Amino acid sequence: MKIGKLAAQLFHTVPVHKEHTEDGSALRILTIDAQTADVDLHPGTGDDVTAILSGAVSESVQDDVHLDVLWEHENSLSIRVHTDAKRVIGFNSLHLAVTVPDKLYESVRVHIVTGDLETRDLRAQTLDFHVTTGDVSVETCLADVCLVRTTTGDVNLGGVTRDLQAETVTGDLTIGSDCQTLHARVVTGDVTARLKRAPENTAVSCVTGDASVHLAAEPEAMTVSLATVTGSVRAETATLGASAGKRRWSAAVGKGGPQMTIHCTTGDIEFTTDGL
């Protein structure tokens, strides 16, 4: 039996479908706020902004679910999913799909209380994604600054970003971005970064979890500092040297160059590069 039919029987749910389209030719700033909905955001074709809310909710609150699309200014659009219901929703499964014109934005901000965020192919000066409970997936995006924060959820980041800042309290963080500055912090979870080249400045920290960083390009100049309180450090590079089994390891090659610091409280650290 499909989940939708089972939910309808157990929770007396009804389908939800709301759709809104705006001319987005002047759009430069986009804000999306969702209480309990998964969000899928990506460029479409043409100049329209289309928001489609679908899914199912408990029958008792079907009239309290809203999709609001409002212009804050002539170039700033706000999309909001919310419910006016004061009672607890027995079952709530909502999905917001948003397509926007394919162009460079000043800023794109998404805030979700409970739900997953998937976004791809966006171009913006600033990308700001905040999810309280849910996973975040950012694919092939281009931004000057990308900020990603979750309380509980996994984060998967890809694309090209000048300044990338990612933080999750409970969850794993996977990074495949090409960036100049990388700041990544996890309280409970692992950090895995596979980078084309070393960012100019890298700071990675884990309280409870492992950290793994791999560079596809062997650095000609670089300074690395790795440290764990209760774990081990493994480093394997052609130019910086190698180390295994220690709790602290630092190395430098060339003059100047990128700086990388990785620190774990309880967990192992692995740092590797492709050979020349």
Side-chain angles (χ1 to χ4, degrees):
M1 180 181 293
K2 294 183 178 180
I3 295 178
K5 292 182 179 180
L6 178 62
Q9 293 180 8
L10 294 177
F11 299 104
H12 304 287
T13 63
V14 293
V16 172
H17 185 89
K18 299 177 183 291
E19 186 170 342
H20 194 105
T21 299
E22 289 280 341
D23 180 4
S25 57
L27 180 62
R28 293 293 180 271
I29 301 173
L30 175 65
T31 301
I32 299 175
D33 283 294
Q35 289 183 342
T36 55
D38 296 332
V39 176
D40 183 356
L41 171 62
H42 63 273
T45 59
D47 292 330
D48 286 343
V49 176
T50 301
I52 301 176
L53 180 66
S54 59
V57 297
S58 295
E59 185 177 11
S60 60
V61 297
Q62 61 177 315
D63 295 331
D64 296 316
V65 177
H66 303 283
L67 171 63
D68 297 332
V69 180
L70 303 171
W71 287 96
E72 303 292 342
H73 303 285
E74 60 180 11
N75 64 351
S76 177
L77 185 68
S78 173
I79 300 175
R80 185 180 179 216
V81 176
H82 64 101
T83 174
D84 293 335
K86 296 181 180 179
R87 65 184 71 87
V88 176
I89 299 178
F91 179 83
N92 185 345
S93 177
L94 294 174
H95 180 269
L96 176 65
V98 180
T99 57
V100 295
D102 186 5
K103 60 182 177 181
L104 178 64
Y105 291 89
E106 181 178 331
S107 71
V108 176
R109 174 188 174 273
V110 181
H111 176 230
I112 303 172
V113 177
T114 303
D116 299 333
L117 170 62
E118 292 187 11
T119 182
R120 58 192 181 276
D121 301 328
L122 290 179
R123 294 179 293 142
Q125 294 176 7
T126 300
L127 296 174
D128 187 350
F129 304 137
H130 183 195
V131 176
T132 303
T133 303
D135 300 332
V136 177
S137 176
V138 180
E139 298 180 11
T140 59
C141 288
L142 177 64
D144 288 337
V145 178
C146 182
L147 308 174
V148 181
R149 293 156 293 167
T150 68
T151 301
T152 303
D154 297 332
V155 177
N156 192 335
L157 303 176
V160 178
T161 305
R162 179 177 56 80
D163 182 5
L164 176 58
Q165 301 179 36
E167 179 177 345
T168 179
V169 177
T170 303
D172 295 333
L173 176 57
T174 303
I175 300 169
S177 299
D178 187 6
C179 51
Q180 295 182 22
T181 301
L182 170 61
H183 290 166
R185 182 177 184 270
V186 174
V187 177
T188 303
D190 300 333
V191 176
T192 302
R194 299 188 65 84
L195 309 173
K196 292 182 179 179
R197 60 186 62 83
E200 294 177 2
N201 185 278
T202 301
V204 175
S205 66
C206 299
V207 177
T208 303
D210 301 330
S212 174
V213 177
H214 176 80
L215 302 181
E218 190 75 28
E220 296 182 358
M222 188 175 182
T223 301
V224 178
S225 177
L226 315 177
T228 177
V229 178
T230 57
S232 63
V233 171
R234 184 178 80 87
E236 186 175 345
T237 75
T239 56
L240 288 160
S243 178
K246 298 180 179 180
R247 292 185 177 177
R248 292 180 178 272
W249 181 78
S250 60
V253 62
K255 294 183 179 180
Q259 297 188 357
M260 177 177 295
T261 301
I262 305 175
H263 181 270
C264 290
T265 303
T266 304
D268 300 330
I269 298 175
E270 181 180 76
F271 172 65
T272 60
T273 64
D274 286 345
L276 295 174

